[in-house]
Amino acid sequence: MTRRLVGIVAALVIAMPSLFLAAPASAEVVPDMWTVMVYMDGDNNLEDATVTDLGEMMVAGSTADVNIVVLVDTLAGPADLVYVNQGSTTTLAAWGEVNMGDPATLQAFITQASTLYPAENYVLDFWNHGGGIMGVCWDDTSSSDKLTMPEMRAAVVGAGVAIDVVLFDACDMAQAEIAHQFVGYADYIVFSQETMWGQGFPYDTIATRLVASPAMTDRSFALIVGEEFTTFYDALGWNTCTISVYDMAYLTSVSSTVGTFAGAMKSTMSSSYKTYKSCRLSAADAANAVDLMGFAQLVSANAKLSTTVRSAASAVVTAVDQAIIYEWHSDDCNGMNGLGIWFPVSSVSYYWSASMETMYRSMPFDVATHWADFLDSYYAKA
């Protein structure tokens, strides 16, 4: 995509409302209902899509109750922090050339957006390419740097803002490990196990519903994103489309059952490796992540395995079913249930290298589940 970003940012810097300027220093700032923060990394071949998606956001625009704030970076020029109005945008600050793959940039964005527009509910949208736990938000003019999983969490923790809904407008991000990166900092995650096409989320219909009912709960908003995505792509009839909503209230249940499941399989690896391999190869996968529920269902149903292992697998199925409160996939993605888990079966020397394993073991999900111990055991038998 080569079209340059033209005319999407009005060259205006708005002053703070006079009422706010005249208020005494001790006056309490009353937060708005929603601030939607879009980390729009178009400094790559998605540049043209920034025009489309900003245009969609402008259909509804911000209101007295809803603020839409976007950090937009493109190949054409430096980044700007913009406020999305109905039919236009306003430049809040010129950020200059930034590296969107630098966690300091993400942290500064969250901090500034939430400081300028404090709200009862925050949405954080990662807009760019996704590669599962390999990273998100590639910046081509910064040596193709990206946000690694540890960097992403460090930025969110550093900003210290509790996010109500995290959106991933990026491919391959619906993985248990990625959801767990937001432990303590998010209530709902909306993401895709498969391709997120260049059209991304249908921001026009999503924003229109939000501004029409700003008193909605964060759960309702997360579900609306899933529903509008489904309506949009189902109408197009496109393939490799998936979307799911993860309720973080069940995060501990998922990690606890996965930990027990991993331990049970590891302890029986010497006798059951071939059965586990068969289940893994039969389950749906994407970006080196097997569908967690699908894999566990196959293990649970396999009579060759011990009762302990099958029971542990069944518990995983139940936990994931509770955590994924919305899921849709196109017909070609049968077997996808909304949540993957890292389990490469090809090019393991690359995807499970020493450096990769070190990174994986540093993530909160593995600290809670020791899934890496199971993978080590599995690959030792491969």
Side-chain angles (χ1 to χ4, degrees):
M1 299 180 183
T2 58
R3 188 173 67 185
R4 295 296 182 253
L5 181 62
V6 178
I8 64 169
V9 180
L12 300 172
V13 178
I14 58 173
M16 299 298 273
S18 58
L19 180 62
F20 177 76
L21 291 176
S26 59
E28 181 180 355
V29 177
V30 179
D32 295 324
M33 290 186 177
W34 291 87
T35 291
V36 179
M37 304 177 287
V38 184
Y39 193 68
M40 184 174 278
D41 178 10
D43 204 344
N44 45 58
N45 65 350
L46 293 175
E47 181 181 47
D48 283 0
T50 64
V51 179
T52 302
D53 284 355
L54 278 170
E56 290 178 356
M57 294 174 199
M58 284 187 266
V59 170
S62 301
T63 66
D65 296 313
V66 178
N67 306 293
I68 304 174
V69 186
V70 185
L71 178 61
V72 55
D73 188 22
T74 66
L75 286 169
D80 288 307
L81 184 70
V82 303
Y83 189 81
V84 178
N85 310 299
Q86 189 176 49
S88 67
T89 59
T90 298
T91 302
L92 299 173
W95 277 41
E97 184 56 44
V98 298
N99 177 4
M100 298 291 276
D102 185 342
T105 305
L106 174 59
Q107 181 175 331
F109 168 60
I110 298 170
T111 298
Q112 187 162 355
S114 59
T115 299
L116 287 173
Y117 301 101
E120 295 178 8
N121 302 285
Y122 291 103
V123 177
L124 177 60
D125 183 354
F126 291 88
W127 187 105
N128 184 240
H129 291 297
I133 66 169
M134 303 297 283
V136 68
C137 293
W138 274 260
D139 190 314
D140 284 6
T141 61
S142 299
S143 302
S144 295
D145 195 14
K146 66 180 184 297
L147 290 170
T148 66
M149 290 299 100
E151 287 174 340
M152 183 178 70
R153 177 164 176 80
V156 171
V157 173
V161 177
I163 309 297
D164 292 83
V165 182
V166 174
L167 308 179
F168 279 103
D169 196 342
C171 298
D172 304 323
M173 300 305 285
Q175 297 179 12
E177 298 89 346
I178 294 171
H180 221 93
Q181 290 299 101
F182 294 91
V183 58
Y185 288 89
D187 292 333
Y188 298 91
I189 316 287
V190 186
F191 43 16
S192 171
Q193 286 181 271
E194 266 286 2
T195 301
M196 180 68 77
W197 293 103
Q199 285 77 355
F201 290 117
Y203 290 101
D204 49 354
T205 56
I206 292 169
T208 295
R209 292 183 67 178
L210 178 61
V211 301
S213 304
M216 71 173 64
T217 64
D218 52 1
R219 179 187 177 93
S220 294
F221 176 74
L223 290 172
I224 280 173
V225 175
E227 291 166 4
E228 292 299 334
F229 180 98
T230 299
T231 299
F232 182 73
Y233 286 99
D234 192 37
L236 289 176
W238 288 7
N239 290 332
T240 61
C241 297
T242 61
I243 198 71
S244 53
V245 180
Y246 191 113
D247 184 345
M248 295 284 279
Y250 294 96
L251 182 142
T252 300
S253 176
V254 171
S255 62
S256 176
T257 56
V258 169
T260 300
F261 183 39
M265 288 191 293
K266 180 177 179 292
S267 67
T268 55
M269 189 63 67
S270 60
S271 61
S272 302
Y273 164 74
K274 290 184 178 179
T275 304
Y276 297 140
K277 180 179 180 180
S278 176
C279 292
R280 170 62 184 87
L281 294 176
S282 298
D285 63 0
N288 290 292
V290 70
D291 184 85
L292 178 54
M293 180 185 286
F295 174 64
Q297 285 173 330
L298 289 169
V299 171
S300 176
N302 197 302
K304 295 179 181 179
L305 297 170
S306 72
T307 301
T308 298
V309 170
R310 295 172 66 188
S311 176
S314 180
V316 170
V317 173
T318 299
V320 174
D321 187 51
Q322 291 174 330
I324 300 300
I325 59 173
Y326 183 90
E327 188 275 330
W328 173 81
H329 56 266
S330 53
D331 290 343
D332 62 307
C333 291
N334 286 332
M336 294 290 190
N337 296 284
L339 191 68
I341 190 170
W342 188 249
F343 195 169
V345 293
S346 61
S347 302
V348 171
S349 60
Y350 173 77
Y351 290 114
W352 196 240
S353 62
S355 60
M356 184 68 192
E357 181 174 353
T358 297
M359 186 280 288
Y360 191 93
R361 288 185 179 277
S362 73
M363 292 195 294
F365 180 79
D366 191 64
V367 173
T369 66
H370 303 291
W371 183 253
D373 288 347
F374 159 71
L375 292 179
D376 277 349
S377 176
Y378 181 90
Y379 297 134
K381 296 292 292 184

